[in-house]
Amino acid sequence: MTQYAILLYAPAPADVADMPAEEMEAHMRHSDEVEALGGHIVSGYALHSSAMATSVRGDTVTDGPFIEAKEVIAGFYILEARDLDHALEISRRNPATWRGGVEIRPLLG
C-alpha cells in the first residue's frame, strides 16, 4: 500500500476548542471508517491553534503562521491506501471537509 500525507485544513486560527462537538465526534469515528474502507492510518496529529505558531524565514523569527490565510493546517495523518483513487475515496469522508478541506500528498520513499 502507498502512504499519503493527509493535511487537514480548518478556518484560521484552527483552534480545536472552537470545533463543534458533532465535528469532533466525527473525527474520532473517522479512523474506524478508514479501516472499514480498507485503508490504514499509520499515525495522526492535531495541531495547536495557528496563533501558537512560530515562523522562521532566513535569520528572522516571527510569531504566527508562515503565511496568513483564511484556512490553516489543523492536523495531519499518514494514510496507507491502495492508490490515489482509494486515498481520495477515504479523504472525501473526512470531517475536515465540512468547514475546511483536505490535501493529499504521496510520501516519497
Side-chain angles (χ1 to χ4, degrees):
M1 302 238 298
T2 304
Q3 290 189 335
Y4 297 89
I6 309 299
L7 308 175
L8 309 177
Y9 288 83
D15 190 334
V16 71
D18 296 334
M19 184 182 295
E22 62 274 4
E23 186 176 344
M24 177 62 80
E25 291 166 8
H27 276 287
M28 301 307 287
R29 291 188 309 267
H30 184 64
S31 62
D32 292 334
E33 186 175 31
V34 168
E35 295 291 332
L37 292 168
H40 176 69
I41 295 176
V42 176
S43 62
Y45 301 91
L47 301 176
H48 279 281
S49 161
S50 63
M52 300 287 295
T54 303
S55 299
V56 180
R57 293 173 179 88
D59 292 333
T60 304
V61 177
T62 57
D63 291 333
F66 192 76
I67 296 173
E68 294 293 331
K70 287 181 174 183
E71 294 178 336
V72 294
I73 297 175
F76 64 94
Y77 62 92
I78 306 303
L79 171 68
E80 288 184 338
R82 291 184 299 271
D83 53 29
L84 180 58
D85 288 336
H86 188 216
L88 285 167
E89 173 189 358
I90 291 168
S91 296
R92 282 188 178 113
R93 298 169 185 253
N94 191 293
T97 62
W98 297 0
R99 295 182 306 125
V102 174
E103 181 177 338
I104 304 162
R105 290 200 199 172
L107 297 181
L108 289 172

